[in-house]
Amino acid sequence: MKEIIETLEKKWNKFNNRETCLVQCCLDGYDDYLNVVFKPIASKNYKYVYDLLDWNIPDDLKSFYKECNGLSLFSESLLIYGATNDNNDIYNTTDIVHENAISKLKKSMPKYSDMIIFGSYGYYYFCYKKDYDKKIYVIGSVEKDVVHTFKSIDELLKYYVTKLLNEYDSNGIKKHKNVEMLDTPMENTSYEYI
């Protein structure tokens, strides 16, 4: 995680500390932030995830949560959900339990009902099998299948951050805007397919 933050700082050099998150690069004309990395939470919050999802968080994700309780990068293009969003900051992490409760993945693709979603990139879900097999699965909602696998969150983040880094200019604005979303805060979000 530290390497990812250093990579982002090299490009923008605008990280600001807040009470519950590290915020980078305010976008001109919007109240949105390009990158938000949430501060870590106490491990007691893992019980919340276990109780509601009946799922033991893999060590890889626990290690991630020790560094940060989720993140939102490149105007919400790349999300890792937090274990809880019970802080009082207006920039709350996306709650892993809530996202799994409302997910269309399991309804539209029953063969993935044993998956726990912990993040996303555009139309792609980042998942672990409920019975953890030391892999991260990237499932495309268009392809309705696994499009990629990773061995760790660090590997996954390096891949997507590298992919997205050149899509944004030095002011944090997407170079190739989403035409259908022009003049909205979401025009700065990347939803291209892998």
Side-chain angles (χ1 to χ4, degrees):
M1 188 63 219
K2 187 176 184 179
E3 186 178 332
I4 298 299
I5 290 175
E6 287 171 0
T7 300
L8 296 171
E9 282 180 320
K10 278 183 191 174
K11 175 114 182 188
W12 291 287
N13 197 25
K14 295 180 182 177
F15 264 102
N16 302 313
N17 286 314
R18 290 175 55 87
E19 187 177 326
T20 56
C21 58
L22 298 169
V23 181
Q24 182 187 7
C25 199
C26 182
L27 300 174
D28 292 336
Y30 302 116
D31 290 333
D32 293 340
Y33 289 90
L34 182 63
N35 298 312
V36 181
V37 179
F38 295 94
K39 292 197 176 181
I41 56 167
S43 56
K44 66 180 181 179
N45 288 308
Y46 302 159
K47 186 171 176 0
Y48 162 80
V49 176
Y50 176 78
D51 289 347
L52 293 175
L53 292 179
D54 189 28
W55 178 60
N56 287 315
I57 300 172
D59 289 341
D60 186 43
L61 189 56
K62 280 183 186 175
S63 294
F64 175 84
Y65 284 154
K66 285 179 184 175
E67 294 184 59
C68 64
N69 182 34
L71 52 80
S72 172
L73 302 181
F74 302 98
S75 296
E76 299 182 0
S77 299
L78 179 60
L79 297 168
I80 303 292
Y81 310 146
T84 179
N85 68 357
D86 62 356
N87 61 52
N88 293 322
D89 195 287
I90 59 171
Y91 299 102
N92 285 324
T93 183
T94 305
D95 186 313
I96 191 172
V97 172
H98 175 74
E99 288 302 309
N100 277 274
I102 66 167
S103 171
K104 297 176 185 169
L105 173 71
K106 296 171 186 181
K107 294 173 187 154
S108 65
M109 294 177 261
K111 68 181 177 179
Y112 297 117
S113 62
D114 67 333
M115 296 287 193
I116 299 292
I117 303 163
F118 72 93
S120 64
Y121 165 71
Y123 301 111
Y124 296 91
Y125 298 101
F126 303 149
C127 306
Y128 290 107
K129 284 191 175 181
K130 204 163 188 180
D131 294 326
Y132 181 55
D133 64 356
K134 301 196 187 273
K135 288 184 191 173
I136 294 172
Y137 296 87
V138 180
I139 300 171
S141 60
V142 173
E143 297 86 347
K144 297 193 183 302
D145 210 349
V146 174
V147 296
H148 212 301
T149 59
F150 294 95
K151 294 178 187 171
S152 69
I153 291 177
D154 282 343
E155 183 183 1
L156 177 143
L157 287 175
K158 283 178 192 171
Y159 177 85
Y160 286 104
V161 167
T162 300
K163 180 176 179 49
L164 289 165
L165 206 53
N166 293 323
E167 284 291 317
Y168 292 82
D169 68 17
S170 60
N171 294 315
I173 303 298
K174 192 168 188 294
K175 294 176 186 175
H176 306 89
K177 301 220 182 250
N178 293 330
V179 178
E180 67 276 3
M181 296 185 176
L182 285 177
D183 299 323
T184 73
M186 296 306 289
E187 72 183 350
N188 204 45
T189 305
S190 292
Y191 280 102
E192 62 275 294
Y193 299 110
I194 298 171

